[in-house]
Amino acid sequence: LNQINTSIKLPLSIKVKNSDNLKVSNFEKILNNTDLIYDFYISKFDMNFIYYQIIFNGTPDNFLKSMSNNDYSFDTQNKQWILE
């Protein structure tokens, strides 16, 4: 019996280079269509990056696997992850 514990709310900070509008648009579509994403919003943007706050109902590994299935990878070396 598979059950999802939606009480787990993992806040993620992700920044995306804003030089590729198609990549940004497709990323937002994936976020909208991913089941375990509770909410996301743009917290700020500057000349180079768009900064997203994502609330994910799962573990970081589950998020990375879900995004990997959609051909997205992240640099997770810092607190704020960077979409590659």
Side-chain angles (χ1 to χ4, degrees):
L1 181 64
N2 290 333
Q3 294 181 345
I4 298 172
N5 184 353
T6 57
S7 66
I8 298 172
K9 297 203 183 316
L10 175 68
L12 300 170
S13 297
I14 295 176
K15 67 181 188 177
V16 180
K17 288 183 183 176
N18 63 13
S19 59
D20 186 352
N21 289 333
L22 182 60
K23 186 175 184 176
V24 170
S25 177
N26 288 337
F27 179 64
E28 288 186 5
K29 285 179 187 176
I30 295 297
L31 293 177
N32 274 322
N33 293 325
T34 301
D35 288 335
L36 293 177
I37 292 183
Y38 177 74
D39 193 18
F40 74 92
Y41 59 92
I42 296 173
S43 61
K44 68 177 182 175
F45 57 92
D46 61 25
M47 200 164 108
N48 300 313
F49 292 99
I50 299 172
Y51 298 84
Y52 289 91
Q53 290 294 318
I54 300 170
I55 306 300
F56 185 72
N57 291 335
T59 65
D61 289 336
N62 287 346
F63 177 80
L64 293 172
K65 183 178 178 184
S66 172
M67 292 293 114
S68 175
N69 291 340
N70 291 296
D71 297 324
Y72 288 103
S73 61
F74 296 87
D75 175 2
T76 59
Q77 298 300 315
N78 296 315
K79 183 178 177 181
Q80 192 163 61
W81 295 356
I82 302 171
L83 178 64
E84 295 178 334

